[in-house]
Amino acid sequence: MGITRPSAELNKCDLGGHDMTQLIPVQENTGGNSNGPVGEHAARSLSYCEQLEEGNILFFARSPIAIPESDREFLLSQRQSGAAYHKNIAYRPQEDRVSGLVKRSAGDQERLRTILRNYSKQVTQFIGGLLPSYACAAHVDFASFRPQEERGRPARLNARNDLLHVDAFPTRPTYGDRTLRFFTNINPTEPRVWLTSETFEGLAQRFAGPHATPGLFPTPAKGASPLNSVGKSLRRWARAVGLPVRPASPFDDFMRRFHNFLKQNSEFQATCPKTRWEFPPNSSWIVLTDAVSHAVLSGQFALEQTFLIPRSVLVLPEKAPINILERLCGRPLTDNGTVINRS
Ligand code: SIN
Ligand code: FE
């Protein structure tokens, strides 16, 4: 039970003196519903939150999520033909809807929806047991199925996931909430291979101090939001089809620019310290991807569920990107305290 030392099967290298992401193996497959004193579970759960907020990855060598063999076989038979640029198949739990599918029969679409709905529900329940303080306030965001081989996948530079980055979604501003993601490698034989580098705090201090990189913190014109062009067109489109659009906060604008800046920075990509992780078949891992710089080098067939965690429930709020950035630039970057109704 609980946190143990990293296992030898995972290849870790080049730590240097930097604040690098560590892997924390967890032997707890019940999400906290197991026997044992309640206080012990609460303490363990708190330590898991701390590990995540420090920028570490919780790793489950055997996934706690049960996927029936027939569902797994169905997922492994799926190909996104002609969709080299269409990254993933997304499932929206709030609408019970799948998007991003290419050329599927109605029967296959329905089957995929059922499998992703089950995955989303199971992960949400598991997180509810493992990290109850997060779960009671979390927004259950999209889940995804990733059927493409990651090695050599063609993509626009800013959409490439084989380059180190921290996550920022152009269409889903978080207003300072944290991005927690639960991954499962369903490939029966091949690992999913990631790189991680320094965590957000070090990267922000290096690149985003007030004078470090001109343009990362542009002064917004009064009432205007300095969105990038993709963000702008998506928002124009959303307005045009009548969707309610809340302006992205300066925090979200920064995170988007920082995501692109890191991917475009070839010197950073080549010279930063790196740790390589191999997530074996049938393993799961949990990570706050807004602060853990990461890249996926290879692997095919993964499932993933994203949660947004409000800052009010964080154990180490000073480690949250929003607070790090507000300290760095000395002004609020969201309309702090506003309650967001996402559903
Ligand atoms: C990413 O968020 O960069 C993708 C990670 C993955 O698909 O393994
Ligand atoms: Fe990412």
Side-chain angles (χ1 to χ4, degrees):
M1 279 277 182
I3 294 174
T4 62
R5 300 199 57 73
S7 72
E9 73 201 58
L10 290 139
N11 173 15
K12 188 172 187 186
C13 59
D14 195 7
L15 271 184
H18 303 261
D19 203 1
M20 301 285 286
T21 291
Q22 314 275 325
L23 200 91
I24 311 294
V26 178
Q27 277 97 49
E28 179 147 24
N29 276 22
T30 60
N33 301 321
S34 56
N35 298 329
V38 174
E40 254 180 43
H41 174 64
R44 260 200 322 276
S45 175
L46 192 72
S47 78
Y48 296 144
C49 294
E50 270 170 9
Q51 289 294 347
L52 289 165
E53 291 176 39
E54 293 277 7
N56 296 322
I57 298 175
L58 298 185
F59 170 68
F60 302 81
R62 222 183 97 233
S63 176
I65 307 302
I67 300 167
E69 209 36 55
S70 56
D71 287 355
R72 192 184 298 264
E73 274 165 23
F74 174 80
L75 291 174
L76 298 178
S77 73
Q78 298 300 301
R79 297 284 178 279
Q80 281 278 81
S81 50
Y85 287 88
H86 214 131
K87 291 215 288 197
N88 307 313
I89 293 167
Y91 173 72
R92 300 162 189 244
Q94 317 296 335
E95 300 155 49
D96 191 25
R97 188 162 75 79
V98 171
S99 60
L101 277 178
V102 179
K103 294 187 203 140
R104 293 294 196 299
S105 69
D108 278 4
Q109 283 186 35
E110 189 47 37
R111 176 115 195 242
L112 209 44
R113 185 161 73 122
T114 305
I115 294 173
L116 290 177
R117 183 197 299 127
N118 287 342
Y119 180 77
S120 175
K121 278 191 178 150
Q122 278 195 77
V123 174
T124 305
Q125 194 178 10
F126 180 74
I127 292 289
L130 190 79
L131 309 170
S133 61
Y134 282 0
C136 65
H139 169 75
V140 184
D141 197 61
F142 296 0
S144 62
F145 171 46
R146 298 157 181 252
Q148 309 269 47
E149 170 56 56
E150 297 292 340
R151 185 187 285 117
R153 175 136 72 95
R156 286 178 295 107
L157 185 101
N158 288 345
R160 276 177 57 181
N161 278 346
D162 59 335
L163 296 170
L164 284 152
H165 63 282
V166 288
D167 281 346
F169 307 127
T171 50
R172 282 130 68 211
T174 70
Y175 309 99
D177 289 355
R178 310 277 332 248
T179 304
L180 181 85
R181 308 181 84 185
F182 186 106
F183 289 88
T184 304
N185 180 10
I186 59 164
N187 191 306
T189 53
E190 297 301 318
R192 198 165 186 88
V193 180
W194 274 29
L195 290 181
T196 56
S197 184
E198 270 184 272
T199 56
F200 185 86
E201 192 161 17
L203 294 175
Q205 271 158 9
R206 180 137 57 100
F207 293 121
H211 309 294
T213 309
L216 275 177
F217 268 129
T219 318
K222 264 213 157 56
S225 168
L227 283 177
N228 64 27
S229 59
V230 177
K232 273 183 188 154
S233 12
L234 286 166
R235 274 159 194 286
R236 259 200 303 275
W237 169 82
R239 270 192 205 97
V241 300
L243 294 174
V245 180
R246 182 185 181 203
S249 64
F251 167 75
D252 294 293
D253 297 333
F254 172 88
M255 291 301 281
R256 194 66 210 148
R257 274 194 302 274
F258 197 48
H259 166 276
N260 295 347
F261 166 82
L262 291 177
K263 286 187 176 175
Q264 289 163 10
N265 188 334
S266 47
E267 196 198 331
F268 163 72
Q269 295 289 336
T271 61
C272 69
K274 297 176 183 75
T275 313
R276 184 175 186 275
W277 306 106
E278 294 193 0
F279 299 106
N282 199 32
S283 63
S284 283
W285 58 105
I286 312 178
V287 52
L288 284 161
T289 53
D290 54 356
V292 170
S293 60
H294 60 283
V296 56
L297 297 188
S298 66
Q300 185 178 16
F301 301 117
L303 292 168
E304 174 271 338
Q305 170 69 57
T306 299
F307 301 90
L308 299 179
I309 312 296
R311 17 180 168 159
S312 54
V313 298
L314 296 174
V315 178
L316 305 173
E318 70 279 7
K319 298 273 181 193
I322 179 68
N323 292 327
I324 292 168
L325 290 173
E326 289 187 344
R327 275 201 307 277
L328 270 177
C329 76
R331 64 182 165 99
L333 294 172
T334 65
D335 45 358
N336 197 354
T338 305
V339 175
I340 306 160
N341 184 2
R342 288 201 164 85
S343 51

